[in-house]
Amino acid sequence: MTIPEIIGLACIAAGIPFFLSGTIGMLRFPDIFTRLHALTKADNVGLGFLIIGLCLQTDDWFIVIKLVLIWVLVLTASSASCHLVARRALQKGIRPWTRE
Amino acid sequence: MIHVAVALFLLLTVVLGMIRIVYGPTVADRMMAAQLFGTSGLAILLVLAWGMDMPELIDIALTFSLLATLATMTFVRRVWYEEGKSDDS
């Protein structure tokens, strides 16, 4: 196991809690806006760590470029769709949760 | 071996996300679970690409993430659309 592979495994291990927190956040948060926030932000950070870990474990530059492009696509796509859903929820009259 | 374990763990988060489908008050919550499947499914595909040593899975993951996005956007435009109100109000 060379040094980059070990660091890669560490990065993958670092990304896992973000996925878990994204899912738990989606289950426990009170209203749709906070769930959207948890879902898109946490998973993207987890995916970022995962992709960094995987990039370290390969020596083919083409795969690294493809992975980074996937991450950029997922970042822009999930933030755009998250904004769309939140905007539509506001228009439909779903007010954000406030602590009474 | 590590990669398969990570993939199994990500599958666990997908299963947890299904609880939101059951309880989701609004239809948008159920759609968010679908978006969670997209991201976690993408991560599972990528990890399995290394675990099973199949680089083709990366291209599948790319198309999968694109389709997950299109699903969410189609949902907002079609299912949740309020008749009569102008779209960009």
Side-chain angles (χ1 to χ4, degrees):
Chain A
M1 290 285 276
T2 61
I3 295 298
E5 280 181 13
I6 293 173
I7 299 174
L9 284 182
C11 281
I12 290 180
I16 295 305
F18 288 100
F19 275 103
L20 192 63
S21 65
T23 306
I24 291 178
M26 199 180 83
L27 294 179
R28 279 180 54 84
F29 278 157
D31 82 331
I32 184 170
F33 299 102
T34 45
R35 282 184 211 128
L36 267 175
H37 187 74
L39 178 69
T40 48
K41 309 305 181 291
D43 277 1
N44 283 339
V45 173
L47 197 63
F49 268 117
L50 197 81
I51 281 182
I52 292 170
L54 292 178
C55 282
L56 286 174
Q57 293 183 352
T58 178
D59 45 12
D60 178 359
W61 276 101
F62 185 57
I63 288 184
V64 171
I65 294 168
K66 218 187 279 189
L67 279 179
V68 171
L69 282 178
I70 285 182
W71 188 52
V72 170
L73 169 68
V74 170
L75 272 182
T76 50
S78 68
S79 57
S81 55
C82 161
H83 172 70
L84 268 174
V85 174
R87 189 172 71 98
R88 179 61 70 200
L90 265 181
Q91 280 172 356
K92 288 182 91 69
I94 300 175
R95 284 298 152 245
W97 178 81
T98 53
R99 187 184 296 275
E100 282 74 26
Chain B
M1 186 51 206
I2 300 282
H3 297 291
V4 177
V6 168
L8 278 179
F9 181 78
L10 287 172
L11 197 60
L12 172 70
T13 56
V14 169
V15 171
L16 280 179
M18 289 187 184
I19 299 174
R20 174 52 56 196
I21 289 186
V22 174
Y23 288 120
T26 64
V27 69
D29 296 304
R30 294 187 170 87
M31 192 58 211
M32 271 196 296
Q35 196 179 352
L36 171 75
F37 295 163
T39 316
S40 302
L42 175 78
I44 289 173
L45 275 172
L46 287 180
V47 168
L48 281 186
W50 262 253
M52 293 154 42
D53 207 5
M54 284 167 65
E56 306 84 16
L57 286 182
I58 299 170
D59 309 330
I60 297 173
L62 188 65
T63 44
F64 189 55
S65 71
L66 194 60
L67 291 178
T69 320
L70 290 183
T72 309
M73 293 188 182
T74 311
F75 157 73
V76 171
R77 285 292 293 162
R78 284 289 170 259
V79 174
W80 236 28
Y81 188 70
E82 247 182 43
E83 286 70 20
K85 283 188 67 171
S86 67
D87 184 30
D88 45 14
S89 58

